[in-house]
Amino acid sequence: WGLRRTVWTDYPDVVRALQGMPSLEGLASFTESKVGVTLPEPRSLQAAFVSPNYFDVLGVRPEIGRTFAPEEGRIESASVAVISRALWMREFGGAPSVIGQPIRAGGQTFAVIGVAPQGFAGTQRRIEGVDLWLPIVFADRLAMDDPSGSSGGGGFNPGSTDGWKFSHKIRYVGRLRDEVGVGRVETDLGVVAAGDVRAS
């Protein structure tokens, strides 16, 4: 990947960005924040809210279970979570029975569907790695680091991603197509940024 560029955007713009970036084989979106969880004691964990194809674009396969399915990018079918291997060992003793176990996050229950492989702690460079991956449609409902200064600042139309207004900075990570250089990606990003996505 190698190229980092951040844009402020509403979630449906990810689809439009994909259509405008032929240099990429895949493009995923994510934002990171603390989130309050109960395991069973209340605490906060570093979480990443991600598009359904996040793990596929990164080429990351779960140690057990699975990652997100395309339909789990929609609010009505997205109450699922992937956890880090470190969290699996700490809280569930490394037991395979973690699949299907509930995690309470932000007052909502998510079923664990997979465990990330050892050594994978997210795409950001930080000392504290990610312990919990949740569908991006929950970012404005559950994220504790709300730059707008309000909780649940992003509105949505239930059953659809239309109308999303994220208050969080959405980041993209992409996988280059074969024989495509970073310069081509910069060109494609410029085209996207000149459209309806405002570059930062």
Side-chain angles (χ1 to χ4, degrees):
W1 311 302
L3 176 69
R4 289 175 178 267
R5 179 157 175 184
T6 301
V7 297
W8 284 94
T9 175
D10 298 331
Y11 180 63
D13 287 333
V14 175
V15 176
R16 289 191 285 272
L18 267 171
Q19 294 171 342
M21 296 189 66
S23 55
L24 295 180
E25 183 178 311
L27 185 71
S29 58
F30 68 98
T31 185
E32 293 186 6
S33 171
K34 293 284 189 180
V35 64
V37 302
T38 303
L39 282 173
E41 299 300 321
R43 71 193 70 182
S44 66
L45 293 178
Q46 187 68 30
F49 298 88
V50 304
S51 57
N53 65 338
Y54 174 83
F55 290 99
D56 292 334
V57 167
L58 293 175
V60 174
R61 300 292 175 257
E63 182 157 333
I64 64 169
R66 64 176 179 86
T67 57
F68 301 112
E71 62 270 17
E72 287 163 347
R74 301 178 68 84
I75 199 75
E76 72 274 17
S77 57
S79 296
V80 290
V82 175
I83 63 173
S84 69
R85 189 180 192 279
L87 184 65
W88 180 40
M89 299 304 292
R90 286 198 315 266
E91 301 294 337
F92 300 95
S97 59
V98 68
I99 303 301
Q101 291 296 310
I103 288 181
R104 292 283 293 173
Q108 181 152 344
T109 300
F110 294 83
V112 176
I113 58 171
V115 174
Q118 184 171 7
F120 183 73
T123 48
Q124 295 288 90
R125 294 188 179 100
R126 61 169 74 247
I127 295 174
E128 182 184 12
V130 171
D131 270 324
L132 181 66
W133 288 267
L134 298 169
I136 198 169
V137 290
F138 287 105
D140 272 355
R141 279 188 172 186
L142 305 183
M144 296 170 67
D145 305 335
D146 187 344
S148 71
S150 64
S151 177
F156 68 95
N157 176 12
S160 173
T161 55
D162 294 339
W164 271 95
K165 297 295 180 184
F166 274 97
S167 61
H168 293 271
K169 183 179 289 187
I170 304 300
R171 292 179 169 86
Y172 296 155
V173 59
R175 178 176 291 277
L176 290 174
R177 293 188 185 278
D178 291 341
E179 301 180 0
V180 171
V182 170
R184 174 64 187 276
V185 180
E186 284 279 22
T187 299
D188 288 350
L189 280 169
V191 172
V192 172
D196 59 353
V197 179
R198 178 169 57 87
S200 66

